[in-house]
Amino acid sequence: MAIPIIDGALGLVNRLLGIGERLIPDKNKAQDQQHERTTKQIDATIEGERNSSWTPRKILLLVFGVPAALQFAVKPTIEWIAAVLGYQLVLPGIDVEASLKILIGLLGLG
């Protein structure tokens, strides 16, 4: 006979504690939820930048890498091949002095 009374009392206490948890907000739980929302937002921003076609790496490659490659690799190679084949070929150069100064400054080498 004592067991149903204890079970009923424990059930009542559990219900009261459950209601108490819903009425009194848990500060740690709220902070965890806020941190999780912020983390998801940051992850979404990073993923959006990753899916973007204009990343900083691609922009730097276009601005500094392509002109430097044309001036210092492609142009001399084409002129050398033309000289080997017996043609006198002089291609116009690309002025990369200003962009190389900026690149050296960005890299912290100057």
Side-chain angles (χ1 to χ4, degrees):
M1 290 188 130
I3 294 178
I5 294 173
I6 294 174
D7 286 339
L10 287 176
L12 179 63
V13 170
N14 282 337
R15 276 191 244 143
L16 289 176
L17 289 176
I19 292 171
E21 288 177 3
R22 284 183 257 141
L23 294 177
I24 302 170
D26 186 11
K27 292 180 184 177
N28 291 335
K29 187 175 181 180
Q31 288 175 349
D32 289 342
Q33 288 174 347
Q34 178 62 30
H35 176 70
E36 194 170 319
R37 280 193 297 267
T38 323
T39 305
K40 285 181 182 178
Q41 183 178 7
I42 290 171
D43 290 344
T45 304
I46 291 172
E47 188 65 31
E49 289 175 357
R50 188 176 302 139
N51 290 337
S52 173
S53 62
W54 290 101
T55 60
R57 181 177 290 170
K58 289 180 183 177
I59 292 170
L60 285 175
L61 177 69
L62 286 174
V63 171
F64 299 113
V66 172
L70 289 173
Q71 178 66 26
F72 300 118
V74 175
K75 179 181 177 265
T77 304
I78 291 175
E79 289 176 351
W80 178 78
I81 291 172
V84 167
L85 294 176
Y87 297 106
Q88 188 65 11
L89 180 65
V90 178
L91 296 174
I94 300 171
D95 186 21
V96 292
E97 182 180 349
S99 64
L100 286 179
K101 283 182 183 178
I102 295 171
L103 179 63
I104 288 171
L106 285 172
L107 294 173
L109 301 173

